[in-house]
Amino acid sequence: MKMRRHDLPQLLVINPPGLFDYGDPFAAKFTVLRAWESPLPLPRFLSAHAQSAPALLCSAATRVTAGLLDLLPSLRIIVTTSAGLNHIDVPECRRRGIAVANAGEVFSDDVADAAVGLALDVLRRVSAADRFVRRGLWAKDGDFALGSKQLVGKRVGIVGLGSIGLQVAKRLEAFGCPVSYNSRTKKPSVSYTFYANVYELAANSDILIICCALTEQTRHMIGKSVLLALGKDGIIINVGRGAIIDEKELVQSLVWGEIRGSGLDVFENEPNVPEELLSLDNVVLSPHVAAFTEESFQDLTELMIANLEAFFSNKPLITPVMDKQ
Amino acid sequence: MDAIGVLMTCPMFAYLEQELEKRFKLYRFWDFPSQRQFFKSHSGSIRAVVGNTKLGADSALIDALPRLEIVASYSVGLDKIDLGKYEEKGIRVTNTPEVLTDDVADIAIALMLGVLRKFCGCDAFVRGGKWKGGDFGFTTKFSGKSIGIVGLGRIGSAIAKRAEAFNCPISYYSRSEKPHVHYKYYPNPVALARHCRILVVACALTEETRHIIGREVMDALGPEGVLINVGRGAHVDEPALISALLEGRLGGAGLDVFENEPEVAEELLRMDNVVLLPHVGSDTVETCEAMADLVVANLEAHFTGKPLLTPVV
C-alpha cells in the first residue's frame, strides 16, 4: 500500500544541506520540513510547522541544545550525518527519551585511507614531485632531488584507537610498520603497544596519526612538548579535528625543522589555513575531505534512511549512539 | 683494490660515487668531453662498469672495454643491459633486487590513492586559496576497489599484500599461473582489465611485454578504470593512453614512468585525473643507500674472489 504524501512521517531539517543532499531518497519516504527555506525566524517556524515532527535529520552544523528541544515537543529521534556528537546534548536527549543515531562507521575506511595517503604523500613527497613534473622541471632541471623517506619499518603511533584508528593500524601493518597507540583506555583485544600518554607515544613514533574525537580532554593535546618528542625525523598526520593540535606550535615546529613534515586534513579555523604552511614543501594540505567520497555519502544516505525506517517500524536502530564507556 | 678501474656511466647518487672512490679508481663517463678520447686513453684500465636504467652497458660499450669483467647495475631492471652478450663473453652481471621492493610497492599504492582521492588536487586547492570560495567536492573511495596486477613477482606480490589490507579483491596476469597463490588468475591482460577497476603494471620490460598495455586493454579497463604504471614507460602505448584519457575511455592514470623520460606529454600535464611522478619508485634515502651498498659489495666480492651477492649472469 503506497503511503499518501500527508501520511509520510515528518522529518525536520534545520540547516541547509552542505555536500550531503537531502533530496529524492528522503522525499520519497518522509515529509521533509525545510526550516532554512522559510522566511520565518527558526522558533516561529518550529512553532508553526514542527510541533508534531517526530524526527530530526541534522549535520554537525546544527546545534541540538535543550533550548532547541524545548521547541520540538514531539521529537522522538535525531539522526545525525556525522560520527562526532559535539553538536548534540546527548544527556539532555536521554532525559527526554529522544533516541539518537549517528553515522557509525560509514566514514572509517575513507578516513583511514586518507590518513595513509597523506602519510605516503608526506614521506615520499608525492604532491611535491607531481608539481615538479607539471612545472616542466624534470626535463629542465634533471632528477627530483633525493630526500624522500621509506615507509617500511617506520614506527606508527595512533592517537585514538577507535573505528578509524583501527582501520589505519590494519592498513599500515601491511606496509611493514610496527603500530602503537594511545587511547582513553587500553584495548585488550589488540596486540599493539599501548602508551599511557601522548608524549610517550610521540617519543616512540616516527609517524604520529591523530584519529581521535575532539573533546575537552583532547583540545590542544598535541603541543610543543609532544612535537619535540616526535622529533626532527617525525611526521604528524591529522584526520581528527584541527583543535586537537596547537596549530601555532605546529606551524613553528614545521618552519623551524623541529619535525620533518605534516599531512593535515583539518585545521583550527577552517577554511583558513596558516599562511606559513602554504609555501612549505614538507606539508600536504587537504580541505577537510577525508570522509567525502561518492561511495561513503551514498552509504550515509542509506544508513540515515535505514535508521529512520527502523525507528518508525519500532525496530532497533542500526547505529544508535551508545553511552560512553 | 685502488688500482682497479671502475667506469660509472652517468650520475646516479653521490653516496655511491663516494663509496666507489674509497675502494677503486673511479672514472666518471660524463666528465670526459669525448667518448672516443676516453676509450683511447683508458679502455685498458676498466675492469668494471656501474650502470643504471638511464644508461646501462650496451654492446658498443662491451666491445670498447677489453678488460671488462663485471657490470654492477644500480637498478633491478635489466632492460638496458645486453644480457646475451655478457654471457657470451663471460662477463658477470649483478643488479639490486629485493632492496627496492617495498618502496616501489608503496609508490604504486600512493599512486592509486592519489588518483582516486586526489591529494595533489586537494593540496593545490588549499594552496591556491580556493577553499575559502567553497568545498572541494567528492572523490572516489579506494578501499574495496578491485585491483588487477600485471606481473606477480616480488613487487606485484608486495602491492597485493598492501592492497588486501584495504579490502581490495586482487587478481593478476602473469606469464604463467602461480600455484599456492589465492588471487584470481586471468590468462591475458585484456581479460584482467575487464574484471578490475584499477590495473597496475609491475612486470619486467622484455620484448614480450613492450606495449603490453595498449588501446584494447585500456578500453577494457573503461571510463571508471585507472591505470597505474610502476614498471617501465615502454609497457604502455603512451599516445593511446593520452587519447583514452582525453576521450574519457579511461578514467585516470598514475604514472611513475614514461616512454621518453624526462619528457612528459603536454596533455598529461593539464589533466586532473592523473598523478605524474619523475621515476621515483625506489628513490628513498634508505633504499638508494642500500642499492649503492649492494653495488659496492658485489664489486668487492668479485675482486676478492668471493661469490657475488646478487648475480644475474
Side-chain angles (χ1 to χ4, degrees):
Chain A
M1 179 190 80
K2 189 169 195 279
M3 294 195 81
R4 285 168 296 163
R5 181 128 308 264
H6 63 259
D7 288 340
L8 296 177
Q10 289 185 322
L11 178 65
L12 173 65
V13 180
I14 294 174
N15 287 56
L19 277 174
F20 185 71
D21 181 20
Y22 310 129
D24 293 338
F26 289 93
K29 295 172 191 269
F30 307 101
T31 302
V32 183
L33 308 173
R34 295 179 167 77
W36 80 90
E37 282 182 352
S38 167
L40 294 175
L42 184 64
R44 288 264 303 273
F45 176 87
L46 297 180
S47 172
H49 300 287
Q51 292 303 287
S52 35
L56 170 68
L57 171 65
C58 71
S59 69
T62 306
R63 300 212 56 237
V64 182
T65 58
L68 177 65
L69 295 176
D70 282 341
L71 299 173
L72 297 168
S74 304
L75 193 65
R76 302 258 57 78
I77 177 162
I78 299 170
V79 290
T80 179
T81 58
S82 68
L85 296 164
N86 299 78
H87 55 295
I88 300 179
D89 187 342
V90 175
E92 189 59 36
C93 291
R94 293 247 182 278
R95 263 194 289 281
R96 299 177 189 227
I98 298 172
V100 183
N102 69 348
E105 301 189 343
V106 127
F107 300 124
S108 299
D109 280 348
D110 284 314
V111 178
D113 290 355
V116 175
L118 285 169
L120 274 165
D121 199 322
V122 175
L123 280 174
R124 299 297 301 271
R125 300 181 305 150
V126 176
S127 287
D130 178 89
R131 281 196 290 276
F132 178 79
V133 174
R134 285 181 201 262
R135 287 177 190 161
L137 299 176
W138 192 16
K140 182 167 159 295
D141 291 351
D143 286 339
F144 189 55
L146 184 65
S148 296
K149 296 286 260 179
Q150 210 170 42
L151 177 56
V152 66
K154 292 290 182 292
R155 301 164 303 166
V156 168
I158 299 179
V159 180
L161 204 69
S163 174
I164 294 170
L166 277 167
Q167 292 303 323
V168 173
K170 178 183 163 204
R171 282 151 177 72
L172 287 172
E173 275 193 302
F175 287 80
C177 296
V179 174
S180 45
Y181 70 103
N182 165 252
S183 216
R184 272 172 308 193
T185 54
K186 190 165 180 204
K187 317 267 172 185
S189 56
V190 305
S191 57
Y192 311 130
T193 304
F194 173 77
Y195 285 97
N197 62 71
V198 169
Y199 178 87
E200 286 299 319
L201 181 69
N204 289 283
S205 300
D206 303 304
I207 305 174
L208 198 65
I209 307 186
I210 314 301
C211 300
C212 59
L214 175 63
T215 64
E216 274 316 300
Q217 290 76 44
T218 64
R219 180 174 295 275
H220 279 201
M221 180 170 66
I222 312 294
K224 193 179 176 78
S225 63
V226 174
L227 292 166
L228 284 175
L230 181 59
K232 65 174 180 51
D233 281 326
I235 73 170
I236 184 164
I237 305 297
N238 193 359
V239 292
R241 284 292 176 269
I244 295 169
I245 302 181
D246 182 335
E247 204 160 88
K248 281 205 184 65
E249 292 294 345
L250 174 65
V251 171
Q252 206 166 74
S253 59
L254 285 162
V255 167
W256 290 357
E258 282 161 2
I259 62 172
R260 189 184 177 85
S262 188
L264 306 168
D265 185 50
V266 286
F267 304 85
E268 286 210 65
N269 188 24
E270 296 169 12
N272 300 298
V273 172
E275 220 28 67
E276 300 93 320
L277 297 182
L278 303 182
S279 52
L280 291 178
D281 246 7
N282 58 341
V283 302
V284 179
L285 308 168
S286 179
H288 201 154
V289 288
F292 292 4
T293 64
E294 302 278 2
E295 292 89 337
S296 71
F297 270 65
Q298 180 61 39
D299 290 345
L300 179 66
T301 299
E302 287 168 13
L303 179 63
M304 294 294 101
I305 290 175
N307 272 302
L308 287 164
E309 288 188 321
F311 181 80
F312 287 117
S313 339
N314 290 313
K315 296 206 177 81
L317 297 180
I318 320 298
T319 47
V321 168
M322 307 305 276
D323 289 324
K324 288 202 194 332
Q325 270 119 30
Chain B
M1 284 197 278
D2 261 6
I4 298 174
V6 175
L7 172 67
M8 193 181 239
T9 59
C10 62
M12 293 167 207
F13 189 25
Y15 168 80
L16 176 57
E17 287 176 39
Q18 284 156 29
E19 293 302 303
L20 289 170
E21 239 160 2
K22 283 182 196 166
R23 297 159 175 81
F24 308 104
K25 176 147 177 52
L26 181 66
Y27 295 85
R28 295 174 175 77
F29 207 22
W30 64 96
D31 272 352
F32 294 88
S34 155
Q35 283 189 8
R36 285 184 72 216
Q37 196 50 45
F38 169 80
F39 288 125
K40 223 166 152 217
S41 318
H42 303 289
S43 62
S45 315
I46 307 297
R47 291 170 65 189
V49 165
V50 172
N52 68 358
T53 54
K54 277 207 210 94
L55 200 54
D58 60 11
S59 270
L61 195 63
I62 303 168
D63 287 336
L65 302 171
R67 292 188 66 210
L68 183 61
E69 296 170 29
I70 178 169
V71 170
S73 190
Y74 179 69
S75 72
V76 70
L78 298 163
D79 40 291
K80 288 277 163 47
I81 294 181
D82 191 343
L83 282 177
K85 187 123 185 189
Y86 288 111
E87 241 175 327
E88 204 186 288
K89 294 212 154 189
I91 298 172
R92 308 305 307 276
V93 178
T94 65
N95 64 349
T96 59
E98 307 285 352
V99 289
L100 46 64
T101 301
D102 289 317
D103 283 356
V104 178
D106 290 352
I107 275 289
I109 302 289
L111 284 168
M112 294 181 204
L113 279 163
V115 175
L116 267 68
R117 299 297 305 273
K118 296 184 155 47
F119 295 109
C120 303
C122 282
D123 184 88
F125 184 79
V126 176
R127 282 178 204 261
K130 296 203 177 119
W131 195 6
K132 301 188 208 209
D135 290 324
F136 184 78
F138 291 120
T139 57
T140 303
K141 184 169 183 154
F142 172 63
S143 275
K145 291 291 185 299
S146 54
I147 295 179
I149 303 178
V150 178
L152 201 68
R154 284 178 289 250
I155 294 172
S157 302
I159 293 171
K161 179 175 171 218
R162 283 150 175 74
E164 281 189 297
F166 293 81
N167 306 311
C168 295
I170 310 288
S171 48
Y172 72 102
Y173 160 73
S174 215
R175 271 172 305 192
S176 55
E177 192 167 356
K178 314 252 173 197
H180 316 301
V181 152
H182 59 275
Y183 310 130
K184 185 159 168 65
Y185 173 75
Y186 286 94
N188 61 73
V190 173
L192 180 66
R194 220 174 267 131
H195 291 95
C196 67
R197 189 73 186 266
I198 302 172
L199 186 70
V200 53
V201 181
C203 57
L205 181 64
T206 63
E207 272 315 299
E208 291 82 43
T209 62
R210 196 170 180 284
H211 280 197
I212 191 174
I213 310 296
R215 181 174 173 134
E216 211 191 335
V217 172
M218 295 179 213
D219 284 346
L221 196 46
E224 309 235 278
V226 174
L227 176 69
I228 303 293
N229 192 1
V230 293
R232 286 286 177 268
H235 279 125
V236 174
D237 179 343
E238 213 159 274
L241 173 67
I242 293 165
S243 331
L245 287 165
L246 284 172
E247 290 165 25
R249 286 180 287 110
L250 180 66
L255 309 168
D256 185 42
V257 286
F258 303 84
E259 286 212 82
N260 191 24
E261 295 167 18
E263 306 293 332
V264 177
E266 266 303 312
E267 296 94 322
L268 288 173
L269 301 182
R270 290 193 287 266
M271 295 180 191
D272 72 349
N273 54 343
V274 302
V275 177
L276 309 167
L277 296 180
H279 203 152
V280 291
S282 58
D283 284 359
T284 62
V285 172
E286 296 95 329
T287 290
C288 287
E289 283 179 5
M291 285 168 64
D293 289 343
L294 197 46
V295 165
V296 171
N298 273 303
L299 290 175
E300 280 187 318
H302 173 77
F303 289 114
T304 56
K306 299 209 181 69
L308 297 179
L309 283 78
T310 49
V312 178
V313 167

